[in-house]
Amino acid sequence: MQVSSVNDAKIYNLSHGKSLPEWLSDWKKRQPQKGDSDIQRRIELIQDFEMPTVCTSIKVSRDGHFILAAGTYKPRVRCYDTYQLSLKFERCLDSDVVAFDILSDDYSKLVFLHSDRYVEFHSQHGHYYKTRIPTFGRAFSYHYPSCDLFFVGTSSEVFRLNLEQGRFLNSLQTEAVENNVCDINPVHHLIATGSSEGRIECWDPRVRNRVGTLDCALSSIREGTEVQALPSVTALKFNNSLSMAVGTGSGQVLLYDLRSSQPLLVKDHFYNLPIKSLHFHDQLDLVMSADSKIIKMWNKDSGKVFSSIEPPANINDVCIYPQSGLLFTANEDPKMNIFYIPALGPAPRWCSFLDNLTEELEESPESTVYDDYKFVTRKDLENLGLSHLIGSSLLRAYMHGFFMDIRLYHKVKSMVNPFAYEEYRKDKIRQKIEEARTQRVQIKKLPKVNKELALKLMEDGEDEAVLARRTKKGKAVPNILSDDRFKVMFENPDYQVDEQSEEFRLLNPIVSKVGLKNKKKLRLLAQQAASLQKMNEDEDEPEGQASSEEESSDDDKSWVEEVREQRRLLRQEDWERRRQERKNVDRNTVLLENARQKSSVKSESKERSQPQFYQLKAGEEFRSFNDVTHKQKLQKASLEDRLKLEENSETSNMANTAVGSKQLTFTLQKSEQQRKQQQAEREHHEERKQLRRSAGHLSSRRGRGWGGRRGGRGRH
């Protein structure tokens, strides 16, 4: 809820606050209320009091039980029950609603004028009948005694539709080209139509004749007003039997007495926007006029402004709840606003809690800050000699001091301090002295972060400034130190340049050489500017002096050598770092090995002192207790310990190569069965050697294989 005060009239906006989407479930709609203060302070007077996109018109039934609103998109009408404070029903329509009216005391009889010339009738159950008028309609009014509907639109005729007979009657022919609005006097039933030419025509429904014409366009023009077009009549409203209010397209409201052709009062909104709605408040003799920006409430006799309301969205229609201070607005926004003004009247019976709520808010008003007041403390009051005013109406207590009128403060200040001019003169002298000090030699103040970079930038800036003065090329380029965008680089320690990093050491030779090149160029340009005439006479270079190209080539070679040297140093430092890491790792492994040996010795001594039990697996042959314990130790030991044990037992061979790495050669230990088999094979070979006989006596003298035969027999 938002509270505002205009001319000491409190206005409570009950629709102010965040709105939640329709597709959220009830549980999710309650979740944001836990952490959002705006949603917690929101007052939802009527549940779902909104339209999908835009609300075009809004009305209250005569019995006050129902509020009906028409809007889009899609075109629809919604009915809200005030006793249930919720939506009663919603009906979708075929086209947009231009205007609608409630014919009965409740919602059982409704008439809608559509934008496609159709007139649609609804009963309590829904759609009842639809007919069509000859031209596009803009407004209509219902005449209760004759049951006639009068339609005005884009023609000079006023169409009559009799609901008792169910047929169109003879239309009323006006002198206007187009008619925008119409209204019927509730007392003597005079019909008035407002045209686009700024005229009002009054008709008597009993004889269907025009009884009078009123020219409002000329009456709305005052001295000093600029007229671009003829103001049309956009709003019309009767009050009792003789009063009538007319709203024009240029933002003026004219009050008439039907017995006079001249307006009693002309009220200008000063927005140059057409008036959209007019209402009378008889209890306070007020007129409520609204355009698309503001709702103004003013006295109908004097024109004095009572209050005003400026909704956040453009206004389409305004509706006042009868005999109360509650008012509804249809806006160019999904949310329909609800305003409560206690000065206009009490809250309706169905929301009587608003009176108690507003009374509690008025009892605890918020403090107001004044622009024309000066804040002073107790010490300031003692210096001014105004301590005796504490507690009076001239001082308003606020926090640790007081507010006092700025005019009173200046007056007392001039009386208490007559030597203010002397102080002003001393301040001016002090300023002149400080300006003269700035021209002296100043010590360079380096920042705490990146001092070397700041010093280099200062030197470069001085060189550029000197060059700019000598060459007369204008102002020098602004320095980074004086630029606020780079101020954090010299204040935040996170931006400190690490000169020991690899990136800095590799880039520093290039950057430094580029800086030296720039300085050399600056010096050369300065020398050229100083000795321009001499250089024109003698264009050759002096003997023994290197040219700029040779210097640049030497500089390029030098920074390349420096980059190579830095790379070599970085590789050497990396190798040293890795070597130190390996040493640390070896030292740690030796310490761990000693600790493990000590722990193993202690555990062996404990195991020897206590009896131990072992479990043999299936298929395993038991030899001795020492062999089982040895196997278990090997299974629990690390790879390093196993290698050392195998090295001691000569089951592995370790050799150092020339590169420095280690080569391991393992000799696997054979099982008992394999050893027995090898032993049996060796004994068998020995036995065969002993039984072997010599076959030398079987050799033939002709040689082996003579004649292709095995024996010594030949062919005879």
Side-chain angles (χ1 to χ4, degrees):
M1 183 173 63
Q2 185 183 33
V3 184
S4 59
S5 177
V6 180
N7 291 341
D8 296 332
K10 290 291 185 67
I11 301 172
Y12 298 90
N13 187 358
L14 305 180
S15 302
H16 181 74
K18 297 180 179 179
S19 60
L20 299 176
E22 294 181 355
W23 44 265
L24 286 179
S25 61
D26 295 338
W27 180 79
K28 288 187 177 181
K29 285 182 179 180
R30 290 191 296 267
Q31 286 299 110
Q33 298 182 6
K34 297 180 180 179
D36 199 332
S37 59
D38 293 339
I39 295 179
Q40 290 178 355
R41 296 174 184 173
R42 182 187 55 168
I43 296 177
E44 194 173 9
L45 186 62
I46 300 175
Q47 187 178 3
D48 298 332
F49 195 67
E50 57 186 12
M51 280 287 172
T53 307
V54 173
C55 181
T56 56
S57 54
I58 185 169
K59 291 184 183 295
V60 178
S61 62
R62 285 199 294 271
D63 58 4
H65 291 177
F66 304 99
I67 302 171
L68 286 98
T72 190
Y73 176 81
K74 300 178 178 179
R76 68 192 65 203
V77 59
R78 288 183 173 181
C79 179
Y80 297 90
D81 192 343
T82 57
Y83 283 91
Q84 300 297 330
L85 297 178
S86 61
L87 180 66
K88 186 173 182 64
F89 65 83
E90 178 184 15
R91 297 173 185 172
C92 290
L93 307 173
D94 295 334
S95 58
D96 292 334
V97 176
V98 177
F100 79 96
D101 198 1
I102 306 171
L103 303 183
S104 60
D105 292 339
D106 55 2
Y107 66 91
S108 58
K109 295 179 181 179
L110 304 175
V111 182
F112 297 95
L113 176 61
H114 291 281
S115 59
D116 56 355
R117 296 192 293 141
Y118 275 101
V119 179
E120 188 173 356
F121 297 90
H122 280 223
S123 61
Q124 191 170 4
H125 67 273
H127 172 75
Y128 178 74
Y129 185 74
K130 181 187 286 189
T131 185
R132 200 170 189 181
I133 59 177
T135 59
F136 291 97
R138 293 179 179 175
F140 71 92
S141 294
Y142 180 63
H143 187 239
Y144 285 94
S146 62
C147 297
D148 287 344
L149 280 173
F150 292 87
F151 295 94
V152 296
T154 59
S155 69
S156 60
E157 294 181 287
V158 179
F159 303 104
R160 292 194 303 153
L161 176 62
N162 189 272
L163 301 183
E164 184 181 6
Q165 301 178 20
R167 65 187 182 91
F168 282 97
L169 304 179
N170 292 332
S171 59
L172 305 178
Q173 185 68 39
T174 64
E175 297 178 354
V177 178
E178 293 179 350
N179 292 306
N180 295 328
V181 292
C182 65
D183 193 25
I184 299 176
N185 192 294
V187 179
H188 48 69
H189 305 292
L190 186 69
I191 301 172
T193 61
S195 66
S196 58
E197 292 86 4
R199 289 184 179 181
I200 299 291
E201 296 186 14
C202 297
W203 297 75
D204 188 352
R206 297 171 296 180
V207 295
R208 297 187 299 278
N209 291 328
R210 184 170 52 245
V211 296
T213 303
L214 192 63
D215 194 348
C216 301
L218 297 177
S219 301
S220 63
I221 299 172
R222 296 298 182 186
E223 295 181 1
T225 58
E226 297 181 359
V227 179
Q228 297 180 354
L230 196 63
S232 60
V233 178
T234 57
L236 183 62
K237 188 70 176 178
F238 279 105
N239 182 37
N240 58 54
S241 60
L242 298 176
S243 298
M244 180 180 64
V246 179
T248 64
S250 56
Q252 287 90 16
V253 179
L254 295 83
L255 289 181
Y256 282 95
D257 190 323
L258 294 180
R259 296 167 295 184
S260 174
S261 61
Q262 297 297 324
L264 301 176
L265 183 66
V266 178
K267 186 69 177 178
D268 197 344
H269 274 215
F270 298 105
Y271 279 99
N272 201 23
L273 296 172
I275 303 298
K276 292 195 171 184
S277 177
L278 289 171
H279 294 277
F280 286 91
H281 195 276
D282 296 330
Q283 288 81 4
L284 298 178
D285 294 333
L286 298 177
V287 178
M288 303 179 67
S289 57
D291 57 17
S292 59
K293 291 291 184 184
I294 191 171
I295 304 172
K296 285 192 176 183
M297 292 165 274
W298 42 279
N299 188 276
K300 66 179 182 180
D301 297 326
S302 61
K304 183 180 179 181
V305 176
F306 176 77
S307 185
S308 62
I309 303 173
E310 294 187 39
N314 291 341
I315 303 170
N316 289 328
D317 193 13
V318 178
C319 177
I320 302 176
Y321 196 88
Q323 305 298 325
S324 72
L326 202 65
L327 106 96
F328 308 97
T329 61
N331 312 309
E332 290 286 332
D333 193 67
K335 186 181 294 184
M336 295 179 284
N337 290 334
I338 305 175
F339 296 96
Y340 177 53
I341 307 172
L344 295 180
R349 189 170 63 177
W350 51 271
C351 58
S352 57
F353 60 89
L354 291 177
D355 290 330
N356 300 330
L357 182 63
T358 55
E359 288 176 2
E360 292 177 1
L361 292 175
E362 289 178 358
E363 290 177 359
S364 58
E366 297 181 356
S367 59
T368 308
V369 179
Y370 299 94
D371 295 333
D372 296 334
Y373 277 64
K374 173 72 175 177
F375 181 79
V376 292
T377 61
R378 287 183 178 270
K379 187 176 181 180
D380 296 335
L381 291 176
E382 292 176 359
N383 295 334
L384 296 174
L386 299 178
S387 301
H388 61 283
L389 295 179
I390 297 176
S392 64
S393 59
L394 297 176
L395 296 178
R396 180 185 176 124
Y398 185 76
M399 294 179 67
H400 62 284
F402 305 89
F403 274 115
M404 65 181 300
D405 197 321
I406 191 68
R407 295 170 295 179
L408 177 61
Y409 174 79
H410 288 313
K411 188 175 181 179
V412 176
K413 184 77 173 175
S414 61
M415 294 173 63
V416 172
N417 192 6
F419 302 102
Y421 176 74
E422 294 294 332
E423 295 179 0
Y424 173 77
R425 183 170 174 272
K426 290 180 181 179
D427 292 338
K428 282 293 183 182
I429 294 172
R430 191 181 302 109
Q431 292 177 5
K432 292 290 184 182
I433 294 173
E434 290 178 357
E435 290 177 0
R437 286 176 179 173
T438 57
Q439 299 176 1
R440 300 177 184 175
V441 178
Q442 297 180 356
I443 301 175
K444 295 180 181 179
K445 293 183 180 180
L446 297 176
K448 296 181 180 179
V449 182
N450 292 327
K451 294 182 179 180
E452 294 80 4
L453 178 60
L455 183 61
K456 181 178 178 298
L457 292 173
M458 286 180 181
E459 294 176 355
D460 295 344
E462 291 176 357
D463 295 340
E464 291 179 359
V466 171
L467 178 62
R469 285 197 300 269
R470 289 184 178 179
T471 57
K472 297 181 181 181
K473 289 185 178 181
K475 296 182 180 179
V477 179
N479 199 353
I480 295 179
L481 293 172
S482 59
D483 197 340
D484 294 336
R485 296 176 296 175
F486 305 96
K487 183 168 59 176
V488 184
M489 191 170 63
F490 302 99
E491 294 178 356
N492 194 346
D494 296 338
Y495 291 91
Q496 178 66 44
V497 177
D498 187 8
E499 297 182 358
Q500 301 299 325
S501 63
E502 181 179 352
E503 293 81 3
F504 179 83
R505 293 175 63 180
L506 292 177
L507 291 176
N508 188 39
I510 304 174
V511 175
S512 60
K513 289 300 178 182
V514 170
L516 291 174
K517 273 188 179 183
N518 293 335
K519 290 183 179 180
K520 289 180 180 180
K521 288 182 180 179
L522 290 174
R523 286 196 296 269
L524 288 174
L525 291 174
Q527 292 175 3
Q528 290 175 3
S531 58
L532 184 60
Q533 296 178 355
K534 294 181 180 180
M535 292 180 65
N536 292 332
E537 296 176 357
D538 188 8
E539 295 180 357
D540 298 334
E541 295 181 355
E543 186 177 355
Q545 182 179 358
S547 63
S548 59
E549 295 180 357
E550 293 176 356
E551 290 179 358
S552 61
S553 62
D554 295 339
D555 293 338
D556 295 338
K557 293 179 180 179
S558 61
W559 73 256
V560 169
E561 294 296 332
E562 289 185 8
V563 170
R564 289 177 180 174
E565 180 66 20
Q566 290 294 334
R567 289 185 182 276
R568 188 186 65 78
L569 293 175
L570 287 172
R571 286 196 296 269
Q572 185 176 0
E573 291 176 0
D574 190 19
W575 184 79
E576 291 290 340
R577 180 176 55 79
R578 291 180 181 178
R579 182 168 171 273
Q580 188 66 28
E581 289 178 358
R582 286 197 298 270
K583 283 186 178 180
N584 295 334
V585 170
D586 295 340
R587 190 185 304 111
N588 294 333
T589 52
V590 170
L591 294 175
L592 288 173
E593 182 182 354
N594 295 334
R596 286 172 184 171
Q597 289 179 358
K598 291 181 181 179
S599 62
S600 62
V601 170
K602 290 181 181 179
S603 62
E604 287 178 1
S605 62
K606 289 182 181 180
E607 289 175 357
R608 289 172 184 173
S609 61
Q610 296 178 359
Q612 297 180 0
F613 299 93
Y614 303 95
Q615 182 179 2
L616 295 177
K617 296 181 180 179
E620 186 177 0
E621 183 181 357
F622 175 76
R623 292 193 304 273
S624 65
F625 287 104
N626 293 331
D627 193 9
V628 176
T629 55
H630 182 68
K631 281 187 177 182
Q632 290 181 354
K633 287 181 181 180
L634 285 178
Q635 290 177 358
K636 294 180 180 180
S638 61
L639 178 62
E640 183 182 3
D641 296 338
R642 294 179 191 177
L643 294 176
K644 289 182 178 180
L645 290 174
E646 290 175 358
E647 183 180 1
N648 296 332
S649 61
E650 295 181 356
T651 58
S652 65
N653 184 20
M654 301 175 65
N656 293 334
T657 62
V659 183
S661 59
K662 293 186 177 181
Q663 181 180 358
L664 300 179
T665 304
F666 296 94
T667 303
L668 298 179
Q669 202 171 16
K670 298 180 181 179
S671 62
E672 185 68 22
Q673 186 177 359
Q674 291 177 348
R675 286 198 299 271
K676 288 182 179 180
Q677 186 177 357
Q678 289 180 358
Q679 183 66 26
E681 289 178 356
R682 282 195 296 270
E683 292 177 356
H684 177 68
H685 284 299
E686 291 293 334
E687 183 180 358
R688 291 292 300 270
K689 287 180 181 180
Q690 292 177 3
L691 295 177
R692 189 177 58 182
R693 293 174 294 177
S694 176
H697 62 282
L698 297 177
S699 60
S700 176
R701 287 179 291 180
R702 294 184 181 180
R704 186 178 178 179
W706 175 83
R709 296 182 181 272
R710 295 181 61 185
R713 297 176 182 180
R715 287 178 297 179
H716 298 284

